[in-house]
């Protein structure tokens, strides 16, 4: 089930060791729920005009000091179509299924006519699922965020490169992050882009231990590792 995705799929080894079936099953479920609005996912939006994140139906703010666990297994990409400042359509797929499910711009439906210089039309998007970092299991929300502004995609891409580099190097690649915003000026107008600050990198086994209540938030952030179990003795003094 979707609310168990982080717990279930963070039990695996490094990202390259996951089977295609594991990745497909996990992320396709995420994509389904992200598209249909089912399940226990809370949606987070970012406004480039205000530099503000809004969480859920109540549009609560995100505390810049709050920390979150990002699950790299749930990364997705796609397209979002805007028309008259409203979302007209969206197409998404898991990044691990790009070769099989990706849709090119030429194959997207036409929802025109679009207004010139209004931001209408199709734009690329990137997104992922993440979880509140708190020892209170009942207060942990599974959240989804997607960004399709050019400046936002660049920020997300830089973040994804860091995950990729650590995965390839065999280093802990699960990031604990804080979400923020950075103001910039373009064409005489002030805008904001999202920022993703990694406060620590942790192992999948440690995250699983934290989600199972076997490790505290403080221990997880400090880089504590789970103990490996010893092989049972065969009774002859050998192990």
């Amino acid at each position: 089930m979707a609310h168990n995705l982080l717990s279930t799929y963070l039990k695996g080894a490094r990202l390259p060791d996951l089977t295609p079936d594991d990745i497909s099953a996990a992320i396709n479920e995420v994509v389904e729920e992200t598209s249909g609005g089912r399940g226990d996912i809370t949606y987070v939006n970012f406004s480039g005009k205000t530099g503000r994140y809004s969480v859920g139906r109540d549009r609560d703010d995100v505390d810049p000091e709050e920390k979150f666990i990002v699950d790299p297994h749930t990364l997705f990409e796609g397209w979002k179509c805007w028309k008259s400042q409203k979302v007209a359509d969206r197409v998404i797929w898991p990044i691990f299924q790009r070769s099989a499910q990706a849709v090119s711009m030429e194959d997207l439906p036409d929802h025109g006519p679009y207004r010139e210089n209004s931001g209408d039309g199709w734009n690329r998007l990137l997104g992922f699922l993440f979880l509140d970092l708190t020892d209170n299991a009942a207060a942990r929300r599974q959240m989804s965020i997607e960004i399709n502004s050019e400046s936002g995609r660049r920020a997300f891409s830089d973040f994804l490169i860091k995950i990729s580099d650590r995965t390839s190097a065999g280093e802990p690649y699960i990031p604990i992050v804080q979400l923020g915003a950075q103001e910039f000026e373009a064409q005489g107008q002030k805008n904001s882009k999202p920022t993703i600050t990694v406060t620590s990198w942790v192992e999948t086994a440690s995250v699983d231990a934290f989600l199972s209540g076997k490790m505290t938030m403080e221990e997880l952030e400090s880089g504590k590792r789970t103990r490996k179990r010893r092989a049972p003795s065969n009774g002859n003094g050998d192990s």
Side-chain angles (χ1 to χ4, degrees):
M1 295 178 68
H3 63 277
N4 290 324
L5 277 174
L6 283 168
S7 177
T8 301
Y9 287 92
L10 287 175
K11 290 180 181 177
R14 295 193 308 273
L15 209 58
D17 296 328
L18 290 170
T19 68
D21 287 342
D22 288 338
I23 294 171
S24 178
I27 301 181
N28 279 339
E29 187 173 354
V30 173
V31 171
E32 264 186 26
E33 296 203 357
T34 304
S35 299
R38 298 181 293 116
D40 300 323
I41 297 177
T42 299
Y43 297 93
V44 178
N45 295 300
F46 176 79
S47 170
K49 293 182 179 179
T50 65
R52 178 179 174 268
Y53 294 87
S54 56
V55 182
R57 294 179 179 177
D58 294 334
R59 305 184 69 80
D60 296 326
D61 290 324
V62 171
D63 184 342
E65 298 301 317
E66 189 174 2
K67 296 179 181 179
F68 308 96
I69 304 171
V70 175
D71 182 2
H73 305 85
T74 64
L75 297 168
F76 59 88
E77 63 178 337
W79 300 93
K80 181 181 285 187
C81 181
W82 290 91
K83 187 172 183 179
S84 301
Q85 299 183 333
K86 294 182 180 180
V87 178
D89 201 355
R90 58 202 289 278
V91 178
I92 61 174
W93 58 87
I95 65 169
F96 302 108
Q97 294 295 311
R98 169 181 271 200
S99 60
Q101 297 185 21
V103 178
S104 65
M105 178 173 264
E106 293 75 19
D107 294 327
L108 294 169
D110 183 8
H111 296 290
Y114 305 119
R115 296 178 300 166
E116 293 185 9
N117 303 319
S118 65
D120 281 2
W122 288 98
N123 288 286
R124 291 289 305 276
L125 69 82
L126 291 171
F128 53 76
L129 296 190
F130 58 105
L131 189 73
D132 287 299
L133 179 64
T134 174
D135 285 323
N136 183 357
R140 290 180 198 144
R141 300 162 296 176
Q142 182 168 261
M143 293 172 280
S144 174
I145 186 170
E146 59 184 51
I147 294 291
N148 76 321
S149 67
E150 184 176 350
S151 60
R153 293 198 308 271
R154 283 199 296 266
F156 271 43
S157 294
D158 291 343
F159 171 59
L160 299 186
I161 288 171
K162 294 177 183 178
I163 295 175
S164 175
D165 288 346
R166 295 186 67 87
T167 304
S168 298
E171 299 175 339
Y173 65 89
I174 306 297
I176 294 176
V177 306
Q178 292 176 316
L179 301 178
Q182 181 180 351
E183 191 175 80
F184 68 96
E185 188 170 320
Q187 299 178 345
Q189 303 245 341
K190 287 187 177 180
N191 290 284
S192 295
K193 61 182 178 181
T195 60
I196 306 171
T197 302
V198 179
T199 61
S200 55
W201 297 91
V202 296
E203 295 183 335
T204 55
S206 297
V207 174
D208 180 57
F210 168 70
L211 296 175
S212 302
K214 299 175 183 176
M215 185 180 291
T216 67
M217 180 176 72
E218 184 177 351
E219 289 172 334
L220 177 66
E221 288 192 90
S222 69
K224 180 179 179 179
R225 298 186 177 186
T226 56
R227 293 181 180 179
K228 294 183 178 179
R229 295 182 179 178
R230 292 185 177 182
S233 172
N234 58 16
N236 297 321
D238 298 327
S239 58

